[in-house]
C-alpha cells in the first residue's frame, strides 16, 4: 500500500452501514483504592456484544471504523468522566487500520479538544491476537503514540504464541495478562509460576503489569500477593452501556494539583 492509497482509504473509503456505541468497564488500582481507568468496549446500539459489530467491519470500512470507534469513546468519556479527575480512558485500536500514525491520530486529538478531555489521559490498547501485517510499522505506531503523550498497552498477553517477541519489540507501557492465565491462579501452581515469571520480565523492562478477567476475591488476592495492583474483571464491575459502573470501595482518582 502506498501512502496516498492508505490516506485515501482513511478519508474516502466506504461509509459505515451500521451503528455502534461503547460500554465502559473500570480498571482499578487495589493499592490506592482508586479507579485507575475505564476501558471503552464496542457494543451495538442496544448493548449487543462486540462480535456482532466487529463481524460487520470489512477491509473497505476498517479505517473508518477504527477512527469512528476512537472518536465515539473519547466523546462519551468527555461526557461521563469528571474534568477534575486523572482517571484514564483506555481505547482499543487496530494497528492494521493505521497507515501514518501522526496523521491517523488527528481525529482523536480533535475529539479530545472538542469535549475538553486531556489526551494525556488516553491509553491505546492493541492485542497480541491480531495478526500484524508489518511489525516495524506497529513499532512506529507505538513510538509515535508515546511521543504524543499517550500510554500504550499490549492486551491479551499470553493468549497467543508471540507475546514475548511482541513485548521485546514494542516495549509498551503496560501489558494486560490474559484472563486464561488469571483463571484459578489462586489454586493452579502452574499459572501462578507463569504469571510470576511474566511479572519479573516486565519489571526488568520497566513495563507495568495489569491483570484482566478477574472473577473472584481469591484470584484478586493471589495476584495482589504477586505484586500486581492494576486489575480489571467482573469481580469489580461488569461493563455498562454508555455509563461508568460504580465499584464498591473504589473512588475516581483526583487530579494532581500544583502546590
Amino acid at each position: 500500500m502506498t501512502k496516498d492509497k492508505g490516506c485515501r482509504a482513511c478519508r474516502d473509503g466506504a461509509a459505515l452501514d451500521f451503528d455502534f456505541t461503547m460500554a465502559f468497564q473500570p480498571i482499578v488500582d487495589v493499592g490506592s483504592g482508586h479507579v485507575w481507568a475505564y476501558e471503552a468496549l464496542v457494543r451495538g446500539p442496544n448493548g449487543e456484544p462486540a462480535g456482532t459489530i466487529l463481524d460487520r467491519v470489512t477491509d473497505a470500512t476498517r479505517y473508518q471504523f477504527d477512527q469512528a470507534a476512537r472518536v465515539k469513546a473519547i466523546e462519551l468519556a468527555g461526557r461521563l468522566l469528571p474534568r477534575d479527575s486523572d482517571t484514564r480512558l483506555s481505547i482499543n485500536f487496530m494497528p492494521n487500520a493505521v497507515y501514518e500514525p501522526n496523521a491517523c491520530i488527528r481525529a482523536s486529538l480533535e475529539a479530545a479538544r472538542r469535549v475538553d478531555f486531556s489526551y494525556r489521559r488516553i491509553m491505546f490498547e492493541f492485542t497480541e491476537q491480531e495478526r500484524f501485517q508489518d511489525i516495524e510499522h506497529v513499532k512506529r505506531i507505538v513510538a509515535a503514540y508515546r511521543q504524543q503523550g499517550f500510554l500504550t498497552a499490549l492486551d491479551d498477553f499470553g493468549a497467543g504464541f508471540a507475546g514475548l517477541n511482541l513485548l521485546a519489540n514494542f516495549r509498551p507501557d503496560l501489558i494486560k495478562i490474559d484472563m486464561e492465565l488469571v483463571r484459578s491462579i489462586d489454586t493452579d501452581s502452574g499459572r501462578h509460576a507463569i504469571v510470576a515469571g511474566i511479572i519479573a520480565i516486565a519489571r526488568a523492562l520497566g513495563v507495568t503489569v495489569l491483570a484482566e478477567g478477574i472473577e473472584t476475591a481469591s484470584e484478586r488476592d493471589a495476584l495482589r500477593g504477586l505484586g500486581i495492583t492494576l486489575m480489571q474483571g467482573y469481580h469489580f464491575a461488569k461493563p455498562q452501556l454508555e455509563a461508568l459502573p460504580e465499584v464498591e470501595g473504589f473512588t475516581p482518582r483526583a487530579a494532581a494539583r500544583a502546590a
Side-chain angles (χ1 to χ4, degrees):
M1 177 183 291
T2 65
K3 181 174 181 179
D4 286 343
K5 183 176 180 181
C7 292
R8 283 201 307 273
C10 191
R11 185 181 63 245
D12 302 327
L16 298 180
D17 60 355
F18 56 88
D19 294 325
F20 69 92
T21 188
M22 294 286 170
F24 293 87
Q25 185 177 33
I27 297 169
V28 301
D29 184 337
V30 298
S32 69
H34 293 135
V35 177
W36 186 81
Y38 287 93
E39 181 179 0
L41 302 162
V42 172
R43 293 290 186 269
N46 299 306
E48 297 89 343
T52 63
I53 299 301
L54 297 177
D55 285 347
R56 300 187 66 176
V57 179
T58 66
D59 287 344
T61 59
R62 182 185 299 119
Y63 298 95
Q64 282 68 29
F65 176 74
D66 186 65
Q67 293 287 320
R70 299 175 190 219
V71 169
K72 174 72 74 173
I74 293 168
E75 288 178 341
L76 286 170
R79 189 180 80 200
L80 296 170
L81 281 167
R83 297 288 190 276
D84 60 345
S85 167
D86 279 344
T87 304
R88 295 181 179 275
L89 168 67
S90 186
I91 302 173
N92 294 279
F93 80 101
M94 300 176 172
N96 294 333
V98 176
Y99 186 79
E100 203 291 309
N102 290 313
C104 293
I105 200 63
R106 289 173 188 161
S108 300
L109 291 171
E110 290 170 2
R113 282 193 292 267
R114 189 164 58 248
V115 299
D116 192 23
F117 189 86
S118 172
Y119 68 89
R120 294 189 180 277
R121 295 170 66 185
I122 297 174
M123 178 171 76
F124 284 110
E125 298 186 24
F126 59 102
T127 178
E128 176 184 338
Q129 299 191 65
E130 182 167 355
R131 186 179 295 277
F132 301 130
Q133 297 172 355
D134 183 343
I135 293 294
E136 290 302 314
H137 175 56
V138 181
K139 288 173 67 175
R140 288 192 294 272
I141 296 172
V142 172
Y145 284 7
R146 294 183 73 177
Q147 188 175 23
Q148 290 269 11
F150 302 113
L151 289 181
T152 58
L154 178 57
D155 196 10
D156 301 321
F157 188 84
F161 299 103
L164 291 176
N165 284 334
L166 294 179
L167 178 57
N169 276 318
F170 300 148
R171 303 288 181 90
D173 297 291
L174 293 91
I175 55 173
K176 298 181 71 174
I177 297 179
D178 185 69
M179 65 179 65
E180 289 303 318
L181 287 177
V182 166
R183 190 64 58 246
S184 302
I185 191 171
D186 53 308
T187 59
D188 189 320
S189 60
R191 281 179 166 78
H192 193 278
I194 290 170
V195 172
I198 291 172
I199 293 169
I201 293 170
R203 184 176 293 126
L205 294 173
V207 175
T208 299
V209 177
L210 188 161
E212 60 182 341
I214 297 159
E215 294 187 350
T216 69
S218 295
E219 291 171 350
R220 176 202 64 201
D221 293 344
L223 291 161
R224 185 71 179 94
L226 285 169
I228 295 177
T229 59
L230 294 182
M231 302 186 190
Q232 180 179 6
Y234 282 9
H235 172 68
F236 302 102
K238 293 182 179 180
Q240 192 167 337
L241 194 69
E242 295 189 353
L244 303 180
E246 292 187 7
V247 190
E248 185 177 356
F250 292 85
T251 58
R253 192 172 63 170
R257 289 177 172 80

